[in-house]
Amino acid sequence: MNKALATRERLLTEARKLLWSRGYSNVSLREIAQGAGVDVALVSRYFGGKRGLFEATLEGAFDAPSLPDEAQLVDTVLQMFRDAPRGGDTPSSLQLIQTNANDPEVGETVRAAQSESMQRILEEIIGDKERAALFMSVLMGFAMAEKTLKLDGIAIPGTPAFEAQLRHLMVAALRYEKP
């Protein structure tokens, strides 16, 4: 990897770490550049500014493996939850959403990226906007209960009990019928 690509990658890594965990409006470019060990002017050179850098961190943030039809959706998502890395330096897409979806400068960008990369695909698979929204709400809520709130009663990730809890909630969302 050449020096320019390595510098760009260091900036992206540091930006994900800081912007996703603390929020766009709470982090300065100087902090990002300092964490990446580069001159702050390089942000403009590679990304055009803070907004461009943030948008570059969104590339792939909401990517999921190819999702099958509705019949296989629950098993595929269970596998994604089971295989998801826990811990580590880079915040999750859940943290990205929590800290940035309501930000006055980038909130709409975050919501649009999530919608395009995840929600639209779920709507196509499930065939119903309302059930797809409920399904996504289950995933977001369960992830938050596990990772952020650490609620007692949520089983330990990777256990059969954890999978049974998540499966139950996803199936309930898919079976929802309007009153």
Side-chain angles (χ1 to χ4, degrees):
M1 180 182 302
N2 71 31
K3 186 176 177 182
L5 285 176
T7 299
R8 187 178 193 284
E9 198 54 44
R10 283 198 319 272
L11 281 166
L12 280 169
T13 299
E14 191 66 20
R16 278 186 202 97
K17 188 170 95 178
L18 294 175
L19 296 171
W20 289 18
S21 64
R22 291 180 29 210
Y24 181 85
S25 294
N26 299 319
V27 176
S28 71
L29 278 181
R30 194 165 304 286
E31 288 177 274
I32 296 168
Q34 185 177 21
V38 301
D39 188 279
V40 72
L42 291 175
V43 173
S44 292
R45 180 179 192 183
Y46 293 119
F47 302 100
K50 184 178 178 182
R51 180 67 182 251
L53 175 58
F54 180 78
E55 289 174 0
T57 71
L58 296 179
E59 293 174 19
F62 300 112
D63 288 353
S66 179
L67 294 172
D69 59 17
E70 185 176 339
Q72 297 175 326
L73 181 61
V74 171
D75 288 332
T76 301
V77 172
L78 275 173
Q79 182 178 348
M80 289 169 56
F81 264 75
R82 184 175 44 244
D83 297 345
R86 288 175 169 75
D89 234 7
T90 302
S92 67
S93 55
L94 175 66
Q95 274 186 293
L96 163 65
I97 292 169
Q98 286 176 308
T99 58
N100 291 291
N102 286 319
D103 186 277
E105 291 185 58
V106 297
E108 182 55 38
T109 301
V110 171
R111 292 188 302 273
Q114 184 279 334
S115 180
E116 183 61 29
S117 295
M118 295 173 86
Q119 196 62 32
R120 183 185 54 78
I121 293 167
L122 282 175
E123 289 171 11
E124 289 172 7
I125 292 168
I126 295 170
D128 180 86
K129 193 174 219 151
E130 196 168 4
R131 287 187 304 129
L134 290 172
F135 190 85
M136 179 56 71
S137 296
V138 163
L139 300 181
M140 295 299 294
F142 202 79
M144 183 176 291
E146 174 206 343
K147 294 179 181 184
T148 306
L149 297 173
K150 301 180 188 325
L151 292 177
D152 285 339
I154 299 295
I156 297 168
T159 65
F162 179 86
E163 291 185 25
Q165 289 174 341
L166 182 54
R167 178 181 297 279
H168 172 76
L169 292 171
M170 288 189 292
V171 168
L174 291 173
R175 289 186 180 154
Y176 174 77
E177 293 183 27
K178 294 178 187 178

Coordinates of all heavy atoms in Angstrom, one line a residue, residues 134-167:
L134 N -40.9 -3.0 11.5 CA -41.0 -3.7 12.8 C -39.8 -4.7 13.0 O -39.2 -4.8 14.0 CB -42.3 -4.5 13.0 CG -43.5 -3.6 13.2 CD1 -44.8 -4.4 13.1 CD2 -43.4 -2.8 14.5
F135 N -39.5 -5.4 11.9 CA -38.3 -6.3 11.9 C -37.0 -5.5 12.2 O -36.2 -5.9 13.1 CB -38.2 -7.0 10.5 CG -37.3 -8.1 10.5 CD1 -37.6 -9.4 10.9 CD2 -36.0 -8.0 10.1 CE1 -36.8 -10.5 10.9 CE2 -35.1 -9.0 10.0 CZ -35.5 -10.3 10.4
M136 N -36.8 -4.4 11.5 CA -35.6 -3.6 11.8 C -35.6 -3.1 13.2 O -34.6 -3.0 13.9 CB -35.5 -2.4 10.8 CG -34.3 -1.5 11.0 SD -32.7 -2.4 11.0 CE -32.6 -2.8 9.3
S137 N -36.8 -2.7 13.7 CA -36.9 -2.2 15.1 C -36.5 -3.3 16.1 O -35.8 -3.1 17.1 CB -38.3 -1.8 15.4 OG -38.7 -0.7 14.6
V138 N -36.9 -4.5 15.8 CA -36.5 -5.7 16.7 C -35.0 -5.8 16.7 O -34.4 -5.9 17.7 CB -37.2 -7.0 16.2 CG1 -36.5 -8.2 16.8 CG2 -38.6 -7.0 16.5
L139 N -34.4 -5.8 15.5 CA -32.9 -5.9 15.4 C -32.2 -4.8 16.2 O -31.3 -5.0 16.9 CB -32.4 -5.9 14.0 CG -33.0 -7.1 13.1 CD1 -32.4 -7.0 11.7 CD2 -32.8 -8.4 13.7
M140 N -32.6 -3.6 16.0 CA -32.0 -2.4 16.6 C -32.2 -2.5 18.1 O -31.3 -2.3 18.9 CB -32.5 -1.1 16.1 CG -32.2 -0.9 14.6 SD -30.4 -0.8 14.2 CE -30.0 0.7 15.1
G141 N -33.4 -2.8 18.5 CA -33.7 -2.8 19.9 C -33.0 -4.0 20.6 O -32.5 -3.8 21.8
F142 N -32.9 -5.1 20.0 CA -32.2 -6.2 20.6 C -30.7 -6.0 20.7 O -30.1 -6.2 21.7 CB -32.5 -7.5 19.8 CG -32.2 -8.8 20.6 CD1 -33.2 -9.2 21.5 CD2 -31.1 -9.5 20.4 CE1 -33.0 -10.4 22.2 CE2 -30.9 -10.7 21.2 CZ -31.8 -11.1 22.0
A143 N -30.2 -5.4 19.7 CA -28.7 -5.0 19.7 C -28.5 -4.0 20.8 O -27.5 -4.1 21.5 CB -28.3 -4.5 18.3
M144 N -29.4 -3.0 20.9 CA -29.2 -2.0 22.0 C -29.3 -2.6 23.4 O -28.5 -2.3 24.3 CB -30.2 -0.9 21.8 CG -30.0 0.2 22.9 SD -31.1 1.6 22.7 CE -30.4 2.3 21.2
A145 N -30.3 -3.5 23.5 CA -30.5 -4.2 24.8 C -29.2 -5.0 25.2 O -28.8 -5.0 26.4 CB -31.7 -5.1 24.8
E146 N -28.6 -5.6 24.2 CA -27.5 -6.5 24.5 C -26.2 -5.6 24.7 O -25.5 -5.8 25.7 CB -27.2 -7.4 23.3 CG -25.9 -8.2 23.4 CD -25.3 -8.6 22.1 OE1 -26.0 -8.6 21.0 OE2 -24.1 -9.0 22.1
K147 N -25.9 -4.7 23.8 CA -24.6 -4.0 23.8 C -24.6 -2.8 24.6 O -23.6 -2.5 25.2 CB -24.3 -3.6 22.3 CG -24.0 -4.8 21.5 CD -23.7 -4.4 20.1 CE -23.5 -5.7 19.2 NZ -23.0 -5.4 17.9
T148 N -25.7 -2.0 24.6 CA -25.7 -0.7 25.3 C -26.3 -0.8 26.7 O -25.6 -0.4 27.7 CB -26.4 0.3 24.5 OG1 -25.8 0.3 23.2 CG2 -26.3 1.7 25.0
L149 N -27.5 -1.3 26.8 CA -28.1 -1.4 28.1 C -27.7 -2.5 28.9 O -27.8 -2.5 30.1 CB -29.7 -1.4 27.9 CG -30.3 -0.2 27.2 CD1 -31.7 -0.4 26.9 CD2 -30.1 1.0 28.0
K150 N -27.2 -3.6 28.3 CA -26.8 -4.8 28.9 C -27.8 -5.3 29.9 O -27.6 -5.6 31.1 CB -25.4 -4.6 29.7 CG -24.3 -4.2 28.7 CD -23.0 -4.0 29.4 CE -21.9 -3.4 28.6 NZ -21.7 -3.6 27.3
L151 N -29.1 -5.4 29.4 CA -30.2 -5.8 30.2 C -30.1 -7.2 30.7 O -29.8 -8.1 30.0 CB -31.5 -5.7 29.4 CG -31.9 -4.3 28.9 CD1 -33.2 -4.4 28.1 CD2 -32.2 -3.4 30.1
D152 N -30.4 -7.3 32.0 CA -30.5 -8.7 32.6 C -31.7 -9.3 31.9 O -32.7 -8.6 31.7 CB -30.7 -8.6 34.1 CG -29.4 -8.2 34.9 OD1 -28.4 -8.4 34.3 OD2 -29.5 -7.8 36.0
G153 N -31.6 -10.5 31.6 CA -32.7 -11.2 31.0 C -32.5 -11.4 29.5 O -33.1 -12.3 28.9
I154 N -31.5 -10.7 28.9 CA -31.1 -10.9 27.6 C -30.0 -12.0 27.7 O -29.0 -11.8 28.4 CB -30.5 -9.7 26.8 CG1 -31.6 -8.6 26.7 CG2 -30.0 -10.1 25.5 CD1 -32.8 -9.0 25.9
A155 N -30.2 -13.1 27.1 CA -29.3 -14.2 27.2 C -27.9 -13.9 26.6 O -27.7 -12.9 25.9 CB -29.8 -15.5 26.5
I156 N -26.9 -14.6 27.0 CA -25.5 -14.4 26.6 C -25.4 -14.7 25.1 O -25.9 -15.8 24.6 CB -24.6 -15.3 27.4 CG1 -24.6 -14.9 28.9 CG2 -23.1 -15.2 26.9 CD1 -23.9 -15.9 29.8
P157 N -24.8 -13.8 24.3 CA -24.6 -14.0 22.9 C -24.0 -15.3 22.6 O -23.0 -15.7 23.3 CB -23.8 -12.8 22.4 CG -24.0 -11.8 23.4 CD -24.3 -12.5 24.7
G158 N -24.4 -16.0 21.6 CA -23.9 -17.3 21.1 C -24.5 -18.5 21.8 O -24.2 -19.6 21.4
T159 N -25.4 -18.2 22.8 CA -26.0 -19.4 23.4 C -27.4 -19.7 22.8 O -27.9 -18.8 22.1 CB -26.3 -19.1 24.9 OG1 -27.3 -18.0 25.0 CG2 -25.0 -18.7 25.7
P160 N -27.8 -20.9 22.9 CA -29.2 -21.2 22.4 C -30.3 -20.3 22.9 O -31.2 -20.0 22.2 CB -29.4 -22.7 22.8 CG -28.0 -23.2 22.9 CD -27.2 -22.1 23.5
A161 N -30.2 -19.9 24.2 CA -31.2 -19.0 24.7 C -31.2 -17.7 24.0 O -32.3 -17.1 23.7 CB -31.0 -18.9 26.2
F162 N -30.0 -17.2 23.7 CA -29.9 -15.9 23.0 C -30.6 -16.0 21.6 O -31.4 -15.2 21.2 CB -28.4 -15.5 22.8 CG -28.2 -14.2 22.1 CD1 -28.1 -13.0 22.8 CD2 -27.9 -14.2 20.7 CE1 -27.9 -11.8 22.1 CE2 -27.6 -13.1 20.1 CZ -27.6 -11.9 20.7
E163 N -30.3 -17.1 20.9 CA -30.9 -17.3 19.6 C -32.4 -17.5 19.7 O -33.1 -17.0 18.8 CB -30.2 -18.4 18.9 CG -28.8 -18.1 18.5 CD -28.1 -19.2 17.7 OE1 -28.8 -20.0 17.0 OE2 -26.8 -19.3 17.7
A164 N -32.8 -18.2 20.7 CA -34.3 -18.4 20.9 C -35.0 -17.1 21.1 O -36.1 -16.8 20.6 CB -34.5 -19.4 22.0
Q165 N -34.4 -16.2 22.0 CA -35.0 -14.9 22.2 C -35.1 -14.0 21.0 O -36.2 -13.5 20.6 CB -34.2 -14.1 23.3 CG -34.4 -14.7 24.7 CD -33.4 -14.0 25.7 OE1 -32.5 -13.4 25.3 NE2 -33.7 -14.2 27.0
L166 N -34.0 -14.0 20.2 CA -34.0 -13.1 19.0 C -34.9 -13.7 18.0 O -35.7 -13.0 17.3 CB -32.6 -13.0 18.5 CG -32.4 -12.1 17.3 CD1 -33.0 -10.7 17.5 CD2 -30.9 -12.0 16.9
R167 N -34.9 -15.0 17.8 CA -35.8 -15.7 16.8 C -37.3 -15.4 17.1 O -38.0 -15.0 16.2 CB -35.6 -17.2 16.8 CG -36.5 -18.0 15.8 CD -36.2 -19.5 15.9 NE -34.9 -19.8 15.5 CZ -34.5 -19.9 14.2 NH1 -35.4 -19.7 13.2 NH2 -33.3 -20.3 13.9

